Amino acid sequence: MDFNYNENQKMIADTIRSFGEKHIKPKFMEWDETQEFPVECLKQLGELGMLGVLVPTEYGGSGLSYTEYVTVVTEVGRICGSVGLSVAAHNSLCTGHILQFGNEEQKKKWLPKLATGEWIGAWGLTEANTGSDAMRMKCVATQDGDDWVINGNKNWITHGKSGDVMVVLARTGELLDSRGITAFVVERGTPGFGSGKKENKLGMRASETAEVIFDNCRVPKENVLGNVGDGFIQAMKVLDGGRISIAALSLGIAKGAFDASVKYAKEREQFGKPIAEFQGIAFKLADMAVKIEAAELLTFQAADLKNRGQRVTTQSAYAKYYASEICVQVSTDAVQVFGGYGYTKDFPVEKFYRDSKLCTIGEGTSEIQKVVIAKQILA
C-alpha cells in the first residue's frame, strides 16, 4: 500500500498550513492562556471544507475519504492540538453519527449546516460516573406522546457550551441493557437544554469541554437517530471511526513537536556546535522519527480499511493506542531537546506536551484500547 500523500492530500496540507500561518499560529497561545474557544476560526475551516470532509457533496460536504480526513486532522493538529481536537470531534462524532445513522430527512436537515461550519456540533455519551462504563448512564429519555423527554447530565462534552446541535445518548430501557440506549439530536435553544461547568484543563485548553444539562428537555420523535434502543451499538461504531480521528490528532501533535525539535537542534549551539551533532540528541530525534512513522502507518492502515467498508474495530484501536502513547513520548522528548527553554511558553513544545496527554484518555483510554485489542485476539 502506498501511503504517500496523493494530490488531494497535498492540496489539503498546503491549504491548512497556509491557513494556520495566518489564522492559528498568531493566536493559539492566547487562546490557550485564556481558554477561549475560537469559534470563528472553526467556522473559517468549515468554509474551506474541513468540517464536512466525509459528508457527500449533496449534503454540502467535501465528499472525501478517510485518507483525506486523517490528513486534515493531522495537519491541523500539527499546528494546534486544540483546534485539531475540535475539528476531529465535529467531523467524526456529531456529524459522523448523523451521517452514518440519520435518515434522508435528518441528513438534509442537519448535515449542510454542520458540513459548512454554519453550525458547530457536539456529541454526548460520557457522564460524571460513567466514562468507560457507558452502559450505566443515568441520563434518561421517556416517551410522552410524539415526544421524548430527556433528563440528566453529560460531562466532558467537546463544544458543550457553544455547540449549535448535539447528538446525545440517553437510556430508554433497562440499566446495562445494550439495547436500552437511544440517540437523539437536540438543537441549541430547545427548552431544557443547557450548559453547566466548563472544565479548566491541563491541555487542549482552546477546545471547549463542558457539562451539558437536560432538564425536561422535550424533543420530537423525528429527532431519534435510527431505531429506539440502537444508540449504544451506534455509538460503538461511531467510536471506531473516532479512534482513527484521535490517532490522526496524536500523529499531528507528535509531528509538530518533532518539527520544532529538529529545527531547534540544528540552531541551538553548545560547546561550539549545534546540539544536533551530539549523539544524545541525534539518537533522540531518530527514536522520535521511527515512532511517528509507525504511528502514521497504523493510522493510514485503519483509514484504508474504513475506506473499503471493512470492520476497523481492531485496527482503529491499534492506531489510537499506539499513536496516542507515542504522541506523549515524542512531545516529552521534544521538551528535553529544548532543555530549559522547552519548559517555557516562549517555545511551542510545552503546549504540544500538555496537549498530548488528552490523546491517551479521550474516546477510550489506552487501557480500554488494550481491552478491545485483547478481546479481538482472544475471540
Side-chain angles (χ1 to χ4, degrees):
M1 288 179 283
D2 180 9
F3 292 130
N4 289 315
Y5 275 10
N6 59 35
E7 288 305 312
N8 271 344
Q9 290 172 282
K10 290 175 183 175
M11 182 179 67
I12 288 167
D14 289 343
T15 300
I16 290 173
R17 289 167 192 170
S18 176
F19 178 88
E21 286 292 332
K22 185 176 180 181
H23 298 286
I24 300 176
K25 281 188 177 180
K27 299 178 181 178
F28 72 77
M29 285 308 297
E30 178 187 336
W31 295 335
D32 183 80
E33 290 286 333
T34 62
Q35 294 203 87
E36 177 188 348
F37 173 45
V39 176
E40 286 309 309
C41 176
L42 212 62
K43 288 182 178 291
Q44 287 173 313
L45 283 167
E47 292 169 6
L48 292 174
M50 307 300 173
L51 296 188
V53 184
L54 302 167
V55 176
T57 54
E58 59 262 37
Y59 303 119
S62 299
L64 299 173
S65 75
Y66 253 81
T67 304
E68 285 84 9
Y69 174 58
V70 165
T71 304
V72 169
V73 177
T74 299
E75 292 297 336
V76 177
R78 199 170 188 164
I79 303 166
C80 176
S82 292
V83 179
L85 176 60
S86 282
V87 168
H90 175 97
N91 270 287
S92 72
L93 298 180
C94 179
T95 305
H97 199 140
I98 296 170
L99 178 62
Q100 277 188 262
F101 298 104
N103 58 38
E104 190 63 22
E105 185 179 342
Q106 290 169 334
K107 290 177 183 179
K108 287 179 178 177
K109 182 176 181 179
W110 290 304
L111 288 180
K113 292 181 178 180
L114 288 164
T116 57
E118 180 183 347
W119 278 12
I120 303 300
W123 191 78
L125 176 65
T126 304
E127 298 177 8
N129 295 311
T130 56
S132 301
D133 188 10
M135 281 203 297
R136 293 184 190 272
M137 67 173 60
K138 295 180 180 178
C139 183
V140 298
T142 54
Q143 193 163 16
D144 182 19
D146 287 339
D147 295 338
W148 286 85
V149 181
I150 307 173
N151 281 287
N153 295 7
K154 293 292 179 179
N155 292 71
W156 305 104
I157 306 305
T158 304
H159 312 148
K161 281 183 177 289
S162 299
D164 299 287
V165 64
M166 179 178 182
V167 175
V168 60
L169 286 301
R171 186 158 56 82
T172 52
E174 295 300 316
L175 193 70
L176 299 179
D177 180 5
S178 64
R179 293 283 182 180
I181 293 170
T182 301
F184 301 87
V185 180
V186 188
E187 294 182 15
R188 184 69 62 185
T190 303
F193 176 37
S195 302
K197 177 189 175 186
K198 179 179 175 180
E199 301 298 338
N200 184 8
K201 300 177 295 183
L202 167 72
M204 304 289 196
R205 289 169 59 82
S207 181
E208 179 184 275
T209 306
E211 176 187 31
V212 175
I213 301 167
F214 296 94
D215 182 10
N216 289 320
C217 178
R218 186 176 289 269
V219 297
K221 64 181 181 181
E222 289 78 19
N223 286 33
V224 173
L225 289 174
N227 297 318
V228 172
D230 283 353
F232 183 78
I233 292 125
Q234 292 175 7
M236 294 304 101
K237 290 178 180 177
V238 169
L239 285 173
D240 276 350
R243 285 165 181 159
I244 299 174
S245 298
I246 300 301
L249 178 61
S250 302
L251 182 61
I253 292 170
K255 283 188 172 188
F258 177 70
D259 292 342
S261 299
V262 171
K263 183 176 183 293
Y264 184 80
K266 289 178 178 179
E267 295 173 350
R268 171 70 167 168
E269 290 192 1
Q270 290 287 276
F271 305 101
K273 59 182 178 180
I275 61 172
E277 294 184 20
F278 292 99
Q279 193 176 75
I281 298 297
F283 278 12
K284 196 175 289 292
L285 295 173
D287 284 338
M288 293 160 79
V290 171
K291 289 171 182 176
I292 289 169
E293 187 78 7
E296 189 161 34
L297 289 170
L298 281 171
T299 303
F300 276 107
Q301 182 183 46
D304 181 61
L305 287 174
K306 189 76 173 171
N307 286 341
R308 290 190 274 127
Q310 296 187 18
R311 192 162 182 257
V312 295
T313 301
T314 305
Q315 293 300 330
S316 65
Y318 284 166
K320 198 273 184 187
Y321 170 56
Y322 184 76
S324 64
E325 290 291 333
I326 70 97
C327 176
V328 174
Q329 295 166 21
V330 169
S331 60
T332 301
D333 284 345
V335 172
Q336 198 70 19
V337 168
F338 275 73
Y341 290 110
Y343 206 66
T344 72
K345 292 184 182 291
D346 296 328
F347 291 88
V349 290
E350 67 84 31
K351 182 177 181 298
F352 287 124
Y353 176 68
R354 288 185 292 107
D355 287 349
S356 68
K357 189 57 195 168
L358 184 277
C359 296
T360 68
I361 299 169
E363 298 199 33
T365 64
S366 290
E367 290 73 21
I368 287 294
Q369 303 315 308
K370 287 192 273 190
V371 168
V372 170
I373 293 165
K375 280 183 178 179
Q376 298 301 314
I377 291 170
L378 300 171

